Amino acid sequence: MKAVLCRPRFDSPTEYTFAFAAEILQWCRQAGIEVTELAEEDAVRPAVETALEKINPDIFVFYGHGSEDCLWGQGANEAAIDLKNCDRLAGKEVFTLACLSAKDLGPEVWRKGGTYWGYVDVFSFTTDSLAQFQEAGNCGFHYRFLEGDSRENALTRAKETFTRLSLELVAAGNTLAAIFMREDGENLVYLDAHKPEEKEGCLLGLLKLPLRLRKN
């Protein structure tokens, strides 16, 4: 199995998603998944398109800023993937941690024969609960690609993880983080486990004053 992992890093939110994605990179290497990393200055449209063409990965992973119709590359000056080049994801499993991209981009990838894990609204998190949000954001990759669970079961288990972590945060007195965790889980979709028409929400915010991983 081959994977391409794209993880920009250029502002506060992407500092955190870059770190979250390091666990995905480690998991791939430990599991024998042949992973190509496109990080920081390599997390740009030309490099992504070249990797998808030459490597032809089974899995495309993206952690960073998103909008309804795209995933933003390094610096958020140009989309790494959008509606114009998402045909390159046909037949691939796409796993993202990015705001809003499952709203329009995800269904288009699905229509072209790919699958899409992502969020239909903003993914919010707080910096005082980073371990919990990393667990939530990454667990679906583990369920699907390391444990080999079905798409539908992976989605169900991930949503259960978000719910469990939200309840744990409530018990710890961290109400804001608990609210964000619950909303993130509600906004998570896996296009192919269910049809796009059944989806609703997408990607990232943070801090005590939440930041957003979206490009306006």
Side-chain angles (χ1 to χ4, degrees):
M1 184 179 292
K2 294 184 290 186
V4 168
L5 169 61
C6 183
R7 53 172 182 160
R9 178 170 63 175
F10 56 89
D11 60 7
S12 293
T14 55
E15 285 286 341
Y16 294 102
T17 52
F18 187 88
F20 289 0
E23 184 173 48
I24 300 293
L25 185 63
Q26 180 183 21
W27 284 347
C28 286
R29 289 170 173 167
Q30 291 173 342
I33 296 173
E34 184 182 331
V35 59
T36 298
E37 181 186 15
L38 300 177
E40 300 177 280
E41 297 305 321
D42 290 327
V44 292
R45 189 184 189 96
V48 168
E49 292 182 343
T50 297
L52 290 174
E53 179 180 355
K54 292 187 175 181
I55 298 169
N56 190 25
D58 305 286
I59 311 165
F60 177 73
V61 182
F62 180 91
Y63 273 52
H65 284 292
S67 293
E68 293 182 4
D69 60 354
C70 73
L71 300 169
W72 292 96
Q74 181 73 8
N77 297 314
E78 182 180 35
I81 294 289
D82 58 20
L83 299 178
K84 295 180 180 178
N85 68 351
C86 69
D87 58 320
R88 297 167 188 262
L89 297 174
K92 306 187 188 312
E93 296 233 26
V94 180
F95 188 93
T96 71
L97 186 63
C99 285
L100 300 166
S101 67
K103 209 166 180 80
D104 294 331
L105 179 62
E108 187 61 24
V109 171
W110 178 83
R111 282 189 285 269
K112 295 183 183 304
T115 68
Y116 202 93
W117 178 287
Y119 300 81
V120 293
D121 212 317
V122 172
F123 183 102
S124 300
F125 59 94
T126 60
T127 55
D128 56 6
S129 302
L130 290 174
Q132 291 89 336
F133 283 99
Q134 177 174 316
E135 179 183 351
N138 291 359
C139 69
F141 188 93
H142 200 285
Y143 297 149
R144 173 62 180 150
F145 302 113
L146 276 68
E147 298 182 23
D149 210 345
S150 70
R151 295 178 184 128
E152 188 167 5
N153 284 346
L155 177 64
T156 298
R157 292 175 68 191
K159 285 181 173 288
E160 290 171 349
T161 299
F162 277 91
T163 299
R164 171 180 61 79
L165 290 168
S166 179
L167 293 173
E168 290 176 1
L169 288 166
V170 169
N174 196 335
T175 304
L176 180 60
I179 292 171
F180 287 165
M181 185 71 73
R182 176 180 56 79
E183 291 177 346
D184 292 343
E186 290 173 351
N187 292 329
L188 173 64
V189 300
Y190 196 0
L191 305 185
D192 200 56
H194 303 285
K195 293 183 180 179
E197 292 75 21
E198 299 176 11
K199 315 309 180 182
E200 302 168 359
C202 179
L203 180 39
L204 291 142
L206 58 115
L207 200 87
K208 284 119 185 173
L209 298 175
L211 302 180
R212 304 294 180 185
L213 268 182
R214 63 179 294 182
K215 167 78 170 169
N216 295 320

